[in-house]
Amino acid sequence: GETAPLMCELLKAKSDQRAINITLNSFGTPLNEPSMRDGDGWPTRKSLYPSIGFLYPEGTELLVKVSDEQTLGQAMEKIGGVYAQIWNTHVNEAISDKSIDDAFFEREVEMLELAFENQMHFACFYAYTKLKEQEIRNLVWISECIVQQQKEEVNKFVPCFSASAPWRNRRP
């Protein structure tokens, strides 16, 4: 059936997100020291990377060598595709007012919505659960904005099945 190819796409994208976040969050920690990036001991940053994904194994080898945001940006540009776009979102966060996490969430929601376009598979159950999690994140975001009286920030959430979703505007 369609379950395996769809779930592979979804899980590979999620594992790539984890690998990039592990790299980004390791800066300024002991995991960024050269011996901890690719050493023999545990834990090393390399040992934390998923062993699946679109980046695995060549892309994760690039991420192991990264030591700061500049070299991470160079690695992301070398990888190219959607990851270069996501990195540009991170670099331009002050301009676009969108974090790298927002870019990853948008990509994930787009992929999860597309899982409903096929029939006779189980990936739609996974997608449904993950989209419900995103709806909960959206509600928490809106609630926090209201509590903190940040009403101008309320609309900065990732919509699910919305005609105004950012990825729907990209398509012809």
Side-chain angles (χ1 to χ4, degrees), residues 131-147 154 156-160:
L131 287 169
K132 281 295 177 186
E133 288 177 7
Q134 182 61 47
E135 284 183 353
I136 292 168
R137 274 193 295 274
N138 290 345
L139 289 171
V140 168
W141 173 260
I142 292 167
S143 301
E144 288 294 324
C145 288
I146 292 169
V147 167
V154 167
K156 295 180 182 173
F157 61 88
V158 180
C160 300

Side-chain angles (χ1 to χ4, degrees), residues 67-171:
S67 60
D68 57 21
E69 283 200 26
Q70 182 180 359
T71 53
L72 178 57
Q74 292 168 353
M76 298 290 279
E77 292 295 329
K78 187 173 184 179
I79 293 166
V82 70
Y83 299 109
Q85 294 170 357
I86 288 172
W87 181 253
N88 286 333
T89 300
H90 175 69
V91 170
N92 298 320
E93 185 173 346
I95 298 168
S96 67
D97 207 22
K98 188 187 297 185
S99 71
I100 193 167
D101 290 330
D102 293 334
F104 276 123
F105 284 136
E106 284 181 1
R107 178 172 182 246
E108 182 180 22
V109 168
E110 176 184 11
M111 292 178 77
L112 293 169
E113 287 181 5
L114 291 174
F116 286 94
E117 293 193 1
N118 294 337
Q119 299 177 5
M120 306 303 289
H121 62 86
F122 292 105
C124 60
F125 296 108
Y126 175 82
Y128 175 81
T129 303
K130 291 298 183 180
L131 287 169
K132 281 295 177 186
E133 288 177 7
Q134 182 61 47
E135 284 183 353
I136 292 168
R137 274 193 295 274
N138 290 345
L139 289 171
V140 168
W141 173 260
I142 292 167
S143 301
E144 288 294 324
C145 288
I146 292 169
V147 167
Q148 297 174 14
Q149 297 179 351
Q150 298 289 323
K151 295 196 186 338
E152 64 278 355
E153 304 288 321
V154 167
N155 291 324
K156 295 180 182 173
F157 61 88
V158 180
C160 300
F161 292 110
S162 172
S164 63
W167 53 91
R168 296 197 195 290
N169 297 331
R170 287 195 312 252
R171 296 203 175 140

Side-chain angles (χ1 to χ4, degrees), residues 5-95:
L6 288 169
M7 286 302 298
C8 281
E9 291 283 316
L10 295 170
L11 295 176
K12 283 180 176 182
K14 191 67 172 173
S15 68
D16 290 349
Q17 175 186 350
R18 296 272 165 99
I20 292 166
N21 279 336
I22 287 168
T23 305
L24 195 56
N25 292 329
S26 70
F27 300 148
T29 70
L31 285 174
N32 197 35
E33 296 172 10
S35 63
M36 293 297 285
R37 285 187 229 142
D38 192 19
D40 293 331
W42 191 91
T44 61
R45 190 167 74 192
K46 184 177 182 177
S47 69
L48 298 175
Y49 291 137
S51 58
I52 63 168
F54 297 111
L55 296 179
Y56 183 78
E58 295 88 8
T60 51
E61 285 301 321
L62 284 174
L63 295 178
V64 167
K65 298 172 185 164
V66 166
S67 60
D68 57 21
E69 283 200 26
Q70 182 180 359
T71 53
L72 178 57
Q74 292 168 353
M76 298 290 279
E77 292 295 329
K78 187 173 184 179
I79 293 166
V82 70
Y83 299 109
Q85 294 170 357
I86 288 172
W87 181 253
N88 286 333
T89 300
H90 175 69
V91 170
N92 298 320
E93 185 173 346
I95 298 168

